[in-house]
């Protein structure tokens, strides 16, 4: 499952599990926790806070969803599955809950790349929302696993066509299509060229880069609910998220989209020196993409660019 495995990491992790809470602290604080348990930069404190939240209110579907995301981000995929199951039972009509469950189940499986629970969850998600990008991506993975490589490529191309301009997963999705095409002797160059990337729109709200802003995140209702938290809890939660992203980039410095996200996060938090440091590290680690990194940093207002 070589190409499929690469693809799953690209879409599942880089794209669909980067919540806007870590990217836009002013608008989307989405993982509340206990102020006693929360310590900036400590992902486990976020998990403990969410465990306390659902423990106090087991019918809090959004709390279970957020707990599932926190588990997933920390590599605890089996725990994420259990949390997402609670969310889907409480709100069975939410496509995001189902596609999140499906992805977690796929990642938790040690041998079967598409276990029965994952496949069923993606089916439910698509039935509720045929445009759910996570479910669409993994439905194509399922076709590829079934040796319907042409069908998988066709579905990925359709997803690419619907991808928001400049979205951070565009390059990964294109690379997945290229890899699966190459492995299976399918010429995709012309079809990929027909889906032309569109430059980020200059009028994006707040001057933010489309590449950093177009990532699916918590719902508006979730954001409104989380905004009721005391500011200290919000700030500690967000700093923990951003620190977690920074740690992942140290392990994978070639993730240019991740560096752009980190720069945006630091600028949103008013941490301009740290944003400038992220910019310097991103360029040093990715000299071939220095131009893109510079352009994104300029849009974000990173000092010294």
């Amino acid at each position: 499952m070589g190409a499929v495995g690469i693809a799953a990491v690209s879409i599942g992790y880089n794209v669909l599990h980067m919540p806007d809470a870590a990217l836009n602290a002013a608008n989307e604080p989405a993982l509340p926790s206990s102020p006693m348990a929360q310590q900036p930069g400590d992902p486990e404190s976020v998990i403990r806070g969410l465990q306390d939240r659902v423990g106090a209110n087991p019918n809090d579907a959004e709390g279970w969803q957020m707990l599932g995301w926190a588990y997933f981000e920390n590599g605890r995929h089996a725990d994420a599955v259990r949390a997402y199951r609670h969310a889907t039972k409480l709100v069975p009509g939410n496509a995001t809950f189902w596609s999140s469950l499906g992805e977690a189940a796929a990642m938790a499986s040690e041998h079967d790349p598409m276990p029965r629970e994952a496949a069923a969850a993606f089916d439910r998600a698509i039935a509720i929302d045929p445009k759910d990008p996570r479910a669409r991506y993994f439905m194509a993975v399922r076709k590829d696993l079934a040796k319907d490589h042409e069908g998988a490529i066709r579905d990925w191309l359709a997803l690419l066509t619907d991808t928001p301009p400049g979205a951070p997963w565009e390059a990964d999705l294109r690379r997945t299509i290229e890899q699966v095409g190459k492995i299976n002797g399918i010429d995709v160059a012309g079809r990929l060229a027909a889906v032309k990337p569109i430059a980020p729109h200059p009028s994006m709200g707040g001057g933010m880069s489309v590449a950093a802003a177009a990532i699916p995140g918590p719902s508006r209702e979730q954001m409104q609910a989380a905004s009721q938290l005391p500011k200290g809890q919000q700030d500690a939660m967000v700093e923990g998220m951003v620190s977690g992203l920074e740690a992942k980039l140290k392990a994978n410095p070639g993730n240019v989209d991740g560096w752009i996200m980190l720069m945006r996060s630091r600028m949103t938090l008013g941490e301009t020196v740290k944003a400038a440091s992220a910019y310097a590290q991103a360029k040093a680690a990715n000299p071939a993409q220095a131009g893109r990194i510079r352009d994104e940093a300029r849009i974000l207002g990173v000092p010294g660019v």
Side-chain angles (χ1 to χ4, degrees), residues 17 71 85 96 103 112 119-120 147 161 173 191 195 207-208 214-215 241 269 279 282 305:
H17 273 276
Y71 280 141
R85 282 175 187 157
T96 299
E103 183 182 28
D112 185 353
K147 303 191 183 305
T161 300
L173 184 53
R191 295 154 76 182
V195 185
M208 292 300 180
I215 305 166
M241 296 289 177
L269 293 169
Y279 168 65
V305 179

Side-chain angles (χ1 to χ4, degrees), residues 177-250:
I177 295 168
E178 290 172 349
Q179 290 170 342
V180 173
K182 182 178 180 180
I183 289 171
N184 296 287
I186 300 172
D187 185 4
V188 298
R191 295 154 76 182
L192 275 171
V195 185
K196 296 186 181 298
I198 303 173
H201 197 284
S203 64
M204 190 71 186
M208 292 300 180
S209 162
V210 174
I215 305 166
S219 68
R220 184 65 53 186
E221 292 76 17
Q222 289 174 315
M223 292 187 289
Q224 291 172 348
S227 68
Q228 304 303 314
L229 289 172
K231 187 176 185 301
Q233 292 183 44
Q234 295 178 11
D235 291 346
M237 176 275 297
V238 171
E239 178 56 37
M241 296 289 177
V242 177
S243 296
L245 171 59
E246 192 168 41
K248 288 182 173 66
L249 288 169
K250 289 180 180 179

